[in-house]
Amino acid sequence: AILQWLQFGVSGDTLFMSLLDLGLQQIEVMAAHQLNASSAVDDDEINAATAALDDMASNINIASKYSKTIGTLVLERVGQPWISNVLKQCIADRNDQRALQWGSMLVSFGETYTEFMIQNITHPQLSGHVNTFLQIMLALSRFPGHHGIDEDVSDQPLNFWYLLQEALVDFMYESENDAELARKAAETQAIVKQLYVELLKALVSKCTYPPTDVWMDADKEERERFSGYRREVADALLNTYYVLREDMLSLLVDESINAMGTFELESWQSLEALLFALKSIGEAVPESESTFLPRLFSADVLKQSFMSVLQASARDDNCAAQWGLASTKASILSLIGAYGEWWKGHPELLPVAVPCVTSSLSQPGLVQAAVAAFRRICDSCREQLTEASGSMILLAREVLLAGNSVPLREQQRIFESVAEVVVAQRPDKQVESLTPLIAALAEALGKSASLLESAPSGIALCDLEPYTAPLLNNLRLVDSLARGLQFSDEIEETAIVGDAESTAELEYAAQCYHSSRALQEFRAVLMGLMSRIFVSRIWPQDAQTHMVQIDDCLVECVLSIVNNSARRGPHALAFDFGDIVALIGNAWNATVSRNEGVAGTAVLGSRWSDQCPAFLQCVSQLVMVFSTKENSWQPTRTSADEVDRMLGAVLTRLIDDIYFGISREASTLATAIEQQPVINEYVFDLCTRALQTHPELFTHLEQVSLGRLCDLSLQALSIPNRLALKPTAYFLTALIRLSSSSTASINTRRQAAMDLLGALWNKYGAAWLRATLAAIGGTHPRSLLPNLSELLFAMTKNHLITTRQWLGELLSQPDFPSAFVDSTTKRIFAQQMVGTRSFSKAKGLVNEFSVKCRNLQGTVYA
């Protein structure tokens, strides 16, 4: 009955207090009966009572008003022996079902009243009750067994400990300016620290892996639940560190060193748990820590303890021992990686720490953990590792030669991390470091390319995988290398705006890259190999289109290499612009072939739509890099006029072929766009970047291609699809803003581009406006109104006269854009839109008008 009252709401705080008191009395009676074996209580009665108290104890509104009254009442009752004794009995009997019955309401109360408990933990009358409650929470946290396997209780209080730590932090902060409160806060902190020392021991114990026989008998679901619980414990350990700080670090470091000194494979679980706990707090330990971590990561401990465990082996026939040893090794590697920022301040230890990680790459079960640790160290300590770049390159070369013994994804991560260390050196040292690695890569690429060319003629694409895989793997390593060799965006940005130091750095890098014979030869080998891929005769033909079928992954990988090496700053693997355009042309020709017999048509391969986004993304990068002004570190760059001409030709070809391609996917262009929204998205992302970066490019597009692009935009506006509409709206907004720009300060070429965009507005503006109004009027979901508002505002702000005229004509049409708005409403909307110069006001007008068009005014959806 109490629970039903709560569900329907209780009016009057006095009644709530009475119900709470009545519920607590009932709980005490039930607890006493349960302790008395001769008078057992039905489980349904206990569930109903504890559920009612759970709801009352977690009522935040009541707690905010009467935290002292309710907190005192509950703590006094919980402090009586009945409830605490029944929980002790549940724990002693390892009865997790009963423990959850009684513990859930206490956890809910604790999570709601943590602030009250922190404030009263030293109170003369309440401190004993608070301590009793906290000991109950501690007992639940250390409930015997292994969570997810043979108990389900110990995870319940984990959030309580987080909230208690937060309440302590707030209390300490609030008491800083009051001497009496500061004294009380210091006493409170001391008490809480003692409690969290016990919690730390409980958490380390609970995250300890079970005995081998228990783990082996557990099923997959039980193991996953235990692993998930360990992740939650890791968060709780982090919260515990925020309370204990150095005390926790001291305890864990001491016990870990002792455990490693006496390590035996039969009892590996205790060491692994300590390492897991240390790893869990890595992000919170300051880089300046100089007392405990230097002991844990001393050269002697790293060499004698860590390395000895990492190099240890178990008998092949002992699966249990192998599992235990692998788990311990993985935790050591995770621990080393977790303190990446700390290693940065202690570079003298890196020559010992890094070999601990890299030596584990030869052990198949440790590769993933070793690579993760290696990347963390490389990311944090690039400058500190530059002196060891030679050994880093040697490692990457060994990984390359090792082949499939290291998974490809991990090889890629190693190459990228090594490249990030290399690029932190002076450019001349970069070239010196890279030379042996690119020589090995060139040799591997040559062998894999020869293997591909040796494939039997007429072989099906699905059967080519053994011939394409080695080449694809090597190209992916080149791609990872290219991604890691990029200068930071910060250096590029500062150099572009004229910073002398950054400019000098990029100029020197460009000189070193351009003059290096090794890099020249590698770039030539790589470009020649990638070009041959698209003209090779080994690819099978599609039976219907007679187009060659090239592996999608190879196409995407080649384009990704171009993407990652084409940067605004210099890059060791940067190609000549003309070579890039020729490569993309060959690649596109392998995907789409012009039908010269019929003007304006094309033959598209069956996989063109899958490969199209990669092409568009690549060309977008080229537009950003090569269509901007020529910089001093680009002495061999193609002239601006030639770049514009070549990019214009590329854009024209892409727009035309994509227009024909998607048109054939459905009966209407709008339906085709709706079926291929991703292609539409990439098309207009590219065109928007071109407009914002270098609008002069549009003067190099053929008029018919511009018309097709505008047709695509008009159809995309009419589709209530986010992927179709958002990029289209961004493009049109940029076009409309630029089309009204006309000042004496811009050059002739820019003015020609503005005039061209203005002509497009005059021709298509009314249709764009009509589609925008229809979408606002109800054809599109309201979630798209922000984009439509921005587009309509751009029209009214940049082309006031023509927009006012077209608005009047369109809105005078009956039932447009909706039958729910009359002519007066439409006229007022048009007047207000053309009269405002505030986007926030325009957005409000559009929202209000859209609500009226949808007949939602006066409803909860308005």
Side-chain angles (χ1 to χ4, degrees), residues 178-195:
D178 188 302
E180 180 59 27
L181 276 179
R183 183 196 61 78
K184 180 181 177 183
E187 185 179 349
T188 299
Q189 186 181 35
I191 295 173
V192 173
K193 275 191 170 184
Q194 294 176 359
L195 177 72

Side-chain angles (χ1 to χ4, degrees), residues 525-539:
V525 168
L526 182 59
M527 176 56 72
L529 185 147
M530 293 191 299
S531 299
R532 289 204 311 274
I533 289 174
F534 300 107
V535 296
S536 174
R537 297 183 179 277
I538 61 102
W539 302 112

Side-chain angles (χ1 to χ4, degrees), residues 645-724:
R645 185 190 66 77
M646 296 172 74
L647 281 177
V650 170
L651 286 173
T652 296
R653 175 75 189 277
L654 286 174
I655 291 171
D656 288 349
D657 289 347
I658 291 171
Y659 180 86
F660 290 128
I662 62 174
S663 297
R664 297 178 184 182
E665 298 295 323
S667 56
T668 66
L669 184 58
T671 305
I673 295 174
E674 192 167 14
Q675 293 174 354
Q676 300 278 357
V678 174
I679 294 179
N680 183 83
E681 178 187 16
Y682 278 96
V683 165
F684 285 107
D685 282 346
L686 165 59
C687 293
T688 302
R689 171 166 283 186
L691 271 179
Q692 295 173 338
T693 304
H694 193 56
E696 289 89 337
L697 280 178
F698 280 77
T699 62
H700 293 271
L701 269 65
E702 296 180 7
Q703 287 296 319
V704 66
S705 302
L706 284 171
R708 289 165 182 158
L709 181 64
C710 292
D711 286 342
L712 282 174
S713 68
L714 185 57
Q715 296 302 321
L717 273 184
S718 67
I719 300 170
N721 181 299
R722 181 175 296 273
L723 283 178

Side-chain angles (χ1 to χ4, degrees), residues 832-853:
Q832 291 176 326
M833 276 301 303
V834 298
T836 184
R837 287 295 176 264
S838 166
F839 175 60
S840 59
K841 184 177 180 181
K843 188 162 63 171
L845 292 173
V846 170
N847 284 330
E848 182 182 351
F849 184 65
S850 183
V851 167
K852 293 177 180 177
C853 288

Side-chain angles (χ1 to χ4, degrees), residues 255-453:
E255 292 197 11
S256 296
I257 292 175
N258 292 334
M260 282 188 290
T262 59
F263 176 70
E264 293 182 0
L265 191 53
E266 292 74 15
S267 56
W268 63 271
Q269 288 93 336
S270 57
L271 172 60
E272 193 280 335
L274 291 167
L275 298 174
F276 175 81
L278 279 167
K279 185 265 293 186
S280 300
I281 63 174
E283 66 180 71
V285 177
E287 302 170 31
S288 58
E289 206 292 312
S290 58
T291 304
F292 305 106
L293 291 182
R295 291 175 50 216
L296 178 67
F297 294 132
S298 68
D300 289 341
V301 173
L302 286 170
K303 291 178 181 178
Q304 299 172 13
S305 298
F306 283 6
M307 187 66 86
S308 62
V309 174
L310 288 170
Q311 297 302 315
S313 59
R315 296 198 316 270
D316 292 339
D317 60 344
N318 191 335
C319 295
Q322 289 178 358
W323 167 64
L325 187 59
S327 299
T328 307
K329 290 179 178 181
S331 291
I332 290 176
L333 295 171
S334 297
L335 172 64
I336 293 174
Y339 287 87
E341 290 297 323
W342 186 84
W343 296 111
K344 185 176 181 179
H346 300 78
E348 71 280 0
L349 293 175
L350 285 172
V352 186
V354 173
C356 286
V357 175
T358 56
S359 64
S360 303
L361 290 170
S362 59
Q363 303 180 50
L366 293 180
V367 170
Q368 187 172 357
V371 171
F374 181 74
R375 292 204 68 182
R376 291 286 297 273
I377 293 175
C378 289
D379 287 346
S380 302
C381 311
R382 294 178 189 177
E383 290 78 11
Q384 290 74 18
L385 287 170
T386 53
E387 295 299 323
S389 61
S391 59
M392 294 283 186
I393 290 292
L394 181 61
L395 168 67
R397 190 170 181 274
E398 290 175 353
V399 167
L400 174 65
L401 297 175
N404 295 332
S405 62
V406 178
L408 175 64
R409 185 59 187 147
E410 308 308 328
Q411 292 183 42
Q412 291 178 260
R413 289 170 174 161
I414 291 173
F415 266 65
E416 185 174 347
S417 295
V418 168
E420 289 170 351
V421 172
V422 169
V423 83
Q425 302 178 102
R426 293 199 326 267
D428 57 329
K429 292 293 185 181
Q430 294 178 34
V431 174
E432 182 181 337
S433 298
L434 285 171
T435 299
L437 181 58
I438 59 178
L441 268 173
E443 183 180 356
L445 286 168
K447 290 180 179 179
S448 55
S450 298
L451 176 63
L452 177 62
E453 294 294 342

